[in-house]
Amino acid sequence: MSDVIVTVGLDLAKNVFQVHGVDANGRACLRRKLRRAEITPFFASLSPCLVGMEACASSHFWAREIARLGHEVRLMPPAYVKPYVKRGKTDASDAEAICEAVTRPTMRFVAMKSEDQQAVLMLHKTRELLVRQRTMQTNALRAHLAELGIVAAQGVEGLSSLKTYFHKVMGALPEHATAALQSLIRMADCLVDEIEGLESRILDWHRANDASRRLATIPGIGPITASAIAANVPDASLFRTARQFAAWLGLTPRANSSGGKDRQMGISKQGDGYIRRLLVSGASAVMRFARQGDPGKAWLVGLKERKRPKVAAVAQANKTARIAWAILRRNEVFAARTA
């Protein structure tokens, strides 16, 4: 049977995997369930073939394992596979849909990430989680102190002065309130230390990675954003154009056209929201320093005069994403426009 199988669709799971295989004529010749321990021996017994999987949890691990056995592995976004499911929701129908979708000439694929790239992305995701938790702790601290009549200005300096004032008057506050507020302060301080440690590791990886260093030459992209893009996009050639890369990040208009009438809504917000937020934040910083007379910022200065600040920031983020694609594709560094 392994001699005639040319394409395999693998529906991933925690313990029970579904396999669907077809021959050169597209005829189904394999439908089988496999336990987790049976995956590697099964693909080791197959002749080299095309293996399709959805890009989901553990997909990059299995893609690396199966590729080591001589197979060609392609990962696809689950949203692009769903239209090929004929009816119902079963593991067998999902595996059949994956097997059919992976052979489509217009299908878009996800680059397989190495263990090192996934490790860096874990640093980013953990940092993002801890930053959210730090914000939660800070908001809770401010809210509880406000109930006791203690308030301070926004920002890091305001929070520091708030803590200082709390330590001065804590003796006059109720005992239970003091214990709760001290607990919040300790947890917030601990989170700050953990975030700084993760950022230090991200910076070390950024300095050692050539693509990340080249991306950091673009205005509005720092080590955090550069390392996130470099780890998420190991192969820029998967995107045929810069606009396709910006669309992958959800920074292009959402089309809603029918009957010959073209309508464009706000940005689609599809794809990687983490990188999109970093790019918009960096674009906002670029806007603050845009001045008249700078040939490299003339477009942005004109846009700021016509559009709302947030719209201009998103447009600048779109432009930054396109420049980042060009930097990665051409192996160059950013060169600012001169007069």
Side-chain angles (χ1 to χ4, degrees):
M1 182 179 296
S2 61
D3 295 333
V4 297
I5 295 177
V6 297
T7 307
V8 173
L10 176 62
D11 183 48
L12 299 177
K14 291 182 179 179
N15 296 311
V16 181
F17 299 71
Q18 183 72 37
V19 176
H20 184 92
V22 299
D23 58 17
N25 296 321
R27 183 179 60 85
C29 52
L30 173 66
R31 294 186 181 92
R32 181 177 173 184
K33 286 185 178 180
L34 297 174
R35 305 294 296 184
R36 186 181 184 88
E38 298 173 331
I39 293 294
T40 301
F42 171 78
F43 281 98
S45 65
L46 284 181
S47 300
C49 60
L50 174 63
V51 180
M53 292 184 288
E54 290 180 328
C56 57
S58 75
S59 61
H60 292 277
F61 165 76
W62 285 115
R64 291 192 299 267
E65 291 295 312
I66 295 174
R68 291 192 186 103
L69 300 175
H71 301 287
E72 180 185 359
V73 183
R74 295 180 182 176
L75 302 176
M76 299 167 290
Y80 293 168
V81 177
K82 188 174 179 59
Y84 293 92
V85 178
K86 292 182 175 61
R87 180 177 295 182
K89 173 66 178 72
T90 64
D91 292 344
S93 61
D94 288 347
E96 182 180 358
I98 293 170
C99 188
E100 181 175 353
V102 74
T103 60
R104 297 299 91 196
T106 58
M107 179 56 62
R108 297 176 182 176
F109 300 102
V110 177
M112 183 173 59
K113 295 181 178 63
S114 66
E115 290 183 347
D116 179 59
Q117 290 166 335
Q118 284 193 293
V120 175
L121 292 177
M122 289 179 189
L123 290 177
H124 279 275
K125 294 301 183 182
T126 304
R127 173 186 173 275
E128 183 185 22
L129 173 62
L130 296 185
V131 168
R132 290 202 305 267
Q133 291 179 343
R134 181 186 62 183
T135 303
M136 293 169 60
Q137 301 289 344
T138 301
N139 290 342
L141 178 63
R142 286 180 177 274
H144 291 322
L145 286 174
E147 293 292 334
L148 300 175
I150 303 174
V151 296
Q154 295 182 353
V156 178
E157 294 182 358
L159 180 62
S160 178
S161 63
L162 187 67
K163 292 179 181 178
T164 302
Y165 183 75
F166 166 73
H167 287 299
K168 290 182 180 178
V169 301
M170 58 184 298
L173 300 178
E175 180 182 356
H176 295 317
T178 301
L181 294 171
Q182 285 180 323
S183 178
L184 286 175
I185 292 174
R186 286 194 301 269
M187 293 177 67
D189 292 341
C190 181
L191 287 173
V192 170
D193 295 337
E194 293 294 332
I195 292 171
E196 290 177 352
L198 293 174
E199 289 178 348
S200 177
R201 287 182 174 273
I202 292 174
L203 184 59
D204 291 340
W205 188 88
H206 160 75
R207 289 169 176 167
N209 186 272
D210 178 65
S212 184
R213 292 198 308 272
R214 285 188 284 106
L215 287 170
T217 61
I218 305 173
I221 292 184
I224 297 295
T225 308
S227 58
I229 295 176
N232 261 296
V233 189
D235 184 10
S237 63
L238 288 176
F239 304 96
R240 291 182 288 105
T241 63
R243 188 189 186 282
Q244 193 176 92
F245 178 65
W248 176 69
L249 294 173
L251 288 168
T252 53
R254 178 166 54 90
N256 186 18
S257 305
S258 179
K261 296 181 180 179
D262 295 333
R263 301 183 182 89
Q264 289 188 339
M265 318 294 288
I267 59 173
S268 66
K269 295 184 180 179
Q270 299 292 317
D272 198 309
Y274 176 64
I275 297 179
R276 182 172 63 250
R277 290 193 299 272
L278 292 176
L279 288 174
V280 173
S281 178
S284 300
V286 172
M287 288 177 55
R288 289 197 294 270
F289 295 98
R291 297 290 185 270
Q292 291 284 356
D294 185 349
K297 300 294 189 299
W299 172 82
L300 181 58
V301 171
L303 187 64
K304 287 171 59 179
E305 296 173 353
R306 304 191 309 271
K307 300 293 183 179
R308 300 191 306 272
K310 181 59 73 174
V311 174
V314 172
Q316 176 61 29
N318 187 321
K319 185 176 182 180
T320 303
R322 297 179 184 226
I323 296 173
W325 176 85
I327 293 294
L328 290 173
R329 187 68 186 270
R330 301 171 186 170
N331 293 322
E332 299 175 352
V333 296
F334 178 78
R337 182 182 302 175
T338 57

